[in-house]
Amino acid sequence: ILDEIDGADAKSAIASLVEIIRADIPAKGTKSKNKKPYLRRPIIFICNHKYAPALRPLLPYSRQFDVTPPSSNRLTARLRSILTA
């Protein structure tokens, strides 16, 4: 999980992430002398501005979810239910 990824100012860091995402998984049973990292688990990027210039290289490889904040009424009701429990 990478939080505030939209604030990343190092192009090399984003380029490294794209390289890891694009890497092929080696075939089972083969030993490779060139051990490049490959993606085994999902990466979760959290950002406030998904169209930030730093994130453009990641957009083709990402699945985006928009999360909206809860309404004040719903938040109040949830806090009350927690406090009375």
Side-chain angles (χ1 to χ4, degrees):
I1 298 175
L2 298 171
D3 193 11
E4 297 294 335
I5 191 71
D6 52 338
D9 57 354
K11 286 186 179 185
S12 61
I14 299 294
S16 296
L17 288 169
V18 170
E19 185 179 322
I20 291 171
I21 291 168
R22 293 186 62 191
D24 292 331
I25 298 174
K28 284 191 172 185
T30 60
K31 300 272 182 170
S32 175
K33 293 179 183 177
N34 186 9
K35 292 194 174 197
K36 294 179 93 176
Y38 62 93
L39 192 60
R40 296 182 182 138
R41 294 178 178 84
I43 300 174
I44 300 171
F45 300 113
I46 301 172
C47 66
N48 296 322
H49 183 58
K50 64 182 175 183
Y51 297 112
L55 299 182
R56 283 188 189 138
L58 289 173
L59 289 177
Y61 308 103
S62 65
R63 186 168 180 192
Q64 301 167 25
F65 299 94
D66 292 323
V67 179
T68 57
S71 67
S72 298
N73 293 337
R74 185 170 181 186
L75 181 61
T76 304
R78 179 67 179 141
L79 289 173
R80 283 188 182 155
S81 70
I82 292 171
L83 292 174
T84 59

